[in-house]
């Protein structure tokens, strides 16, 4: 098993020729949220080889990041296509309703990609039912998913960059958990 223990965010510091030569590791969003995992590479020279991801606690992978293995080989991370929900305001709703929904989903720690006229969310069946009950127009789709970092994740991201923890308390009133809340409590 090839052990990967270093992350270069967006390939920082690597020459373009090295980025071009790097293998590709396409992973769905959920798999990119783990700092430790056993994976199988389906691309590049080591096609089908076993990989051991052993990154610092709190590491998250984004499309464009580069992983460095113990043997010096490089793998460029890509967001793999996955089942998503495209959410739009229905005929009975306005864009303001969609904006309120985005705010509510953010408070529920649901990862999303937002555009002017729609949201893209993980294809969670419970979440889809909840949205249908609120009369939002849903369209299942398959695409890469690489949402921005949630504000609630900033302490972990900062800890990753500085090498220490910035713990925060999730026990305060107003902290809401909902479908898709996937942080460890």
């Amino acid at each position: 098993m090839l052990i990967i223990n270093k992350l270069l965010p967006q390939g920082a510091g690597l020459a373009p020729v090295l980025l071009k030569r790097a293998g590709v590791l396409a992973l769905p969003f959920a798999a990119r949220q783990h700092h430790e995992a056993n994976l199988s590479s389906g691309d590049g020279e080591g096609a089908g080889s076993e990989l051991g991801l052993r990154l610092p606690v709190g590491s998250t992978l984004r499309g464009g990041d580069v992983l460095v293995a113990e043997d010096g080989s490089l793998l460029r991370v890509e967001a793999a296509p996955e089942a998503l929900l495209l959410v739009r305001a229905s005929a009975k709703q306005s864009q303001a309703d969609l904006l309120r929904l985005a705010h509510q989903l953010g408070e529920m720690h649901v990862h999303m990609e937002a555009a002017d006229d729609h949201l893209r969310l993980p294809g969670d069946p419970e979440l889809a039912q909840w949205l249908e009950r609120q009369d939002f127009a849903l369209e299942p789709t398959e695409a890469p998913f690489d949402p921005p970092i949630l504000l609630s994740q900033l302490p972990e991201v900062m800890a990753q960059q500085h090498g220490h923890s910035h713990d925060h308390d999730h026990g305060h009133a107003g902290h809401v958990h909902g479908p898709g809340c996937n942080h460890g409590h």
Side-chain angles (χ1 to χ4, degrees):
M1 177 181 292
L2 186 60
I3 303 298
I4 297 170
N5 54 15
K6 188 171 182 181
L7 167 64
L8 300 175
Q10 301 302 297
L14 290 179
V17 69
L18 291 176
L19 287 173
K20 200 178 275 190
R21 289 186 194 159
V24 174
L25 183 62
L27 297 170
F29 179 71
R32 289 181 279 121
Q33 303 309 298
H34 302 289
H35 66 277
E36 281 197 21
N38 291 331
L39 307 168
S40 179
S41 169
D43 294 327
E45 260 180 53
S49 62
E50 293 298 313
L51 305 171
L53 192 60
R54 308 292 182 265
L55 298 174
V57 173
S59 296
T60 6
L61 302 175
R62 312 254 331 140
D65 286 347
V66 175
L67 300 170
V68 183
E70 287 179 330
D71 69 356
S73 59
L74 303 174
L75 285 171
R76 192 178 69 252
V77 176
E78 286 186 359
E82 57 187 289
L84 301 174
L85 290 173
L86 190 69
V87 182
R88 297 181 193 279
S90 70
K92 297 185 276 183
Q93 297 167 317
S94 68
Q95 291 306 106
D97 293 315
L98 192 63
L99 183 60
R100 277 190 288 279
L101 174 65
H103 177 77
Q104 186 175 12
L105 291 169
E107 286 186 349
M108 294 166 49
H109 296 259
V110 174
H111 293 274
M112 74 186 94
E113 293 174 339
D116 289 342
D117 66 342
H118 69 275
L119 303 173
R120 285 190 345 157
L121 312 170
D124 179 323
E126 276 185 44
L127 184 58
Q129 290 175 354
W130 182 75
L131 292 165
E132 284 175 340
R133 286 193 300 270
Q134 295 186 52
D135 290 326
F136 283 96
L138 303 181
E139 179 185 328
T141 187
E142 188 157 317
F145 187 58
D146 204 12
I149 296 170
L150 292 174
L151 292 178
S152 64
Q153 292 176 301
L154 283 179
E156 287 84 0
V157 171
M158 291 174 65
Q160 177 184 341
Q161 292 174 350
H162 300 301
H164 61 277
S165 177
H166 291 255
D167 290 333
H168 59 284
D169 178 22
H170 281 291
H172 66 281
H175 178 80
V176 180
H177 290 268
C181 181
N182 60 358
H183 52 73
H185 284 293

